[in-house]
Amino acid sequence: MPRRSRYLSGTLIASALLLTSVGLGTVAANAGPTETAEATGPAVHAGHTMAVSTKSSPEDPDGDGYIPANPPVTGVSPSTKEPPHRYFHEFQANCSVTHTAPDDPIVYAQQPGKSHDHTFMGNRTTNAYSTTASLDAGTTTCLAPGDRSGYWMPTMYNGDKPVLPVGPQVIYYKAGVTDYTSVRPFPKGLRYVVGNPMQSATEFRNHKGFVEGWECGDSFFNVDFPKNCPSRPDVQVNIRWQAPSCWDGKNLDTPDHKSHMAYPVVNPGTNNNICPADHPVALPMIEFKMAFPVNGDLSKLRLASGPSYSFHYDFFNAWDDRTLKAMVDHCIVGGLQCDARGYDQTHPEAGAALNDRYELP
């Protein structure tokens, strides 16, 4: 079904903002930039509970927070080309909820129960001890068996009752840059946090990942949960939120879980979206479109991370390399609007990247 597909730029967030997951606590709506967390334990700044983000793990044995890519991607310059216009260059990863747990294998690796509660999708095995190897060996609720990635976000509550998305959720993989032909697959093991659970309402609204905020019925662009949500079976609370899509080519993770990634910037010469020079590698732009089965009175709605504007999510890539490359090349580089098997109904002549079992033919 046709729908809007776009990259929305917003005000740049202060570089000191820490994109990490935190325990549920008081979130100051007018708090400013925060300081880097110390590895010794939580510290309180401006009413926020800071996250411990450094601890030794199988993939980060020295616990410095850096996980280098092996091999790194070098010799890449941001593409300023403008290929033939195609309104769509995307595919979907449709993944269902697997479980909830107070774990976060990115921010609180090897520390079970340390995080606020998360709702996990995709890989069934995701927990505090997850590594690239463990996810690669796991199974998935994504329609494509080759997508063993972990996707998670703070659990939503209506009062004390969890509100869990039902059925496969829409996770778009899009081109965030104008030259969609320059987009390449994620490196195995890449991980990052999108958004900031400690952001203020204004920072949430002005974040580059903001698309339409919280939606319900005919109410869009909300920072807070909508106050008027029709009590109808077909109405749910939705949010759309986009991830950065430019990579430094060097690190699969960094101590703040965000510095190795960047949002595209506008090339002043052409007004095209390009990757910045220090993050020149164009990767797919993930966009969460989550649907929560709740409507009517939303006065008791909250997130495990705090208020509505504390929304954020995590991504840990564990796609089968060949499957992901087939989807990226066919759908994003090919300028198509694909479903979860890489098929574009408006271009049946292009065929599909995957077979009827969502696997490589």
Side-chain angles (χ1 to χ4, degrees):
M1 181 178 296
R3 50 180 164 59
R4 282 170 285 184
S5 176
R6 54 199 162 96
Y7 175 82
L8 295 182
S9 296
T11 303
L12 286 176
I13 298 177
S15 61
L17 285 174
L18 184 65
L19 298 181
T20 54
S21 298
V22 296
L24 179 60
T26 303
V27 179
N30 60 352
T34 55
E35 300 176 14
T36 303
E38 297 292 337
T40 54
V44 177
H45 297 286
H48 298 322
T49 302
M50 302 296 292
V52 177
S53 59
T54 53
K55 183 178 176 64
S56 62
S57 68
E59 295 180 291
D60 181 21
D62 61 2
D64 67 353
Y66 289 93
I67 300 177
N70 185 23
V73 175
T74 59
V76 176
S77 298
S79 177
T80 58
K81 296 179 182 178
E82 187 168 358
H85 176 71
R86 299 297 293 266
Y87 190 72
F88 295 105
H89 13 69
E90 63 183 55
F91 66 88
Q92 295 184 20
N94 296 146
C95 307
S96 301
V97 169
T98 57
H99 60 286
T100 65
D103 289 350
D104 189 327
I106 296 178
V107 178
Y108 290 113
Q110 311 294 306
Q111 301 175 78
K114 187 76 171 181
S115 174
H116 56 248
D117 203 69
H118 283 109
T119 295
F120 292 88
M121 296 170 289
N123 200 299
R124 293 184 175 91
T125 70
T126 312
N127 60 33
Y129 297 105
S130 291
T131 62
T132 304
S134 73
L135 293 177
D136 212 26
T139 59
T140 183
T141 61
C142 299
L143 293 184
D147 184 6
R148 295 183 288 272
S149 303
Y151 307 89
W152 61 97
M153 58 192 170
T155 299
M156 178 183 285
Y157 291 94
N158 190 8
D160 294 326
K161 181 180 179 181
V163 180
L164 304 181
V166 177
Q169 296 301 293
V170 179
I171 302 170
Y172 292 111
Y173 281 59
K174 301 182 177 184
V177 294
T178 300
D179 184 8
Y180 55 87
T181 67
S182 68
V183 176
R184 64 179 68 195
F186 291 117
K188 183 71 72 70
L190 181 76
R191 67 210 73 180
Y192 52 75
V193 181
V194 184
N196 186 346
M198 294 173 290
Q199 64 208 349
S200 69
T202 299
E203 290 163 343
F204 174 82
R205 178 61 183 88
N206 291 331
H207 194 283
K208 278 193 167 186
F210 186 98
V211 180
E212 292 177 353
W214 293 101
E215 313 169 348
C216 191
D218 294 327
S219 181
F220 300 90
F221 298 103
N222 295 292
V223 171
D224 297 313
F225 294 124
K227 297 186 182 303
N228 299 310
C229 188
S231 296
R232 301 199 314 261
D234 61 328
V235 173
Q236 300 186 79
V237 171
N238 299 275
I239 189 168
R240 293 176 62 179
W241 194 264
Q242 294 177 343
S245 58
C246 297
W247 179 45
D248 67 5
K250 303 173 183 176
N251 298 292
L252 301 178
D253 197 10
T254 44
D256 64 359
H257 315 297
K258 59 131 183 163
S259 294
H260 54 309
M261 300 296 297
Y263 285 92
V265 296
V266 176
N267 182 357
T270 62
N271 283 329
N272 290 343
N273 287 326
I274 66 171
C275 283
D278 55 355
H279 292 75
V281 184
L283 301 177
M285 180 192 71
I286 285 182
E287 178 183 311
F288 266 33
K289 185 178 181 182
M290 302 289 107
F292 299 88
V294 62
N295 53 39
D297 180 10
L298 305 181
S299 61
K300 296 182 180 179
L301 214 58
R302 63 180 174 89
L303 299 176
S305 53
S308 57
Y309 46 81
S310 71
F311 181 79
H312 58 287
Y313 62 85
D314 300 53
F315 169 66
F316 195 140
N317 176 44
W319 274 86
D320 168 71
D321 290 334
R322 292 178 58 245
T323 304
L324 179 59
K325 179 173 173 51
M327 292 291 283
V328 169
D329 289 351
H330 186 70
C331 301
I332 297 180
V333 176
L336 299 174
Q337 183 187 21
C338 295
D339 60 16
R341 60 181 290 257
Y343 179 74
D344 185 342
Q345 292 183 355
T346 63
H347 290 280
E349 74 283 357
L354 307 179
N355 61 26
D356 291 343
R357 297 185 300 276
Y358 298 88
E359 298 174 333
L360 287 171

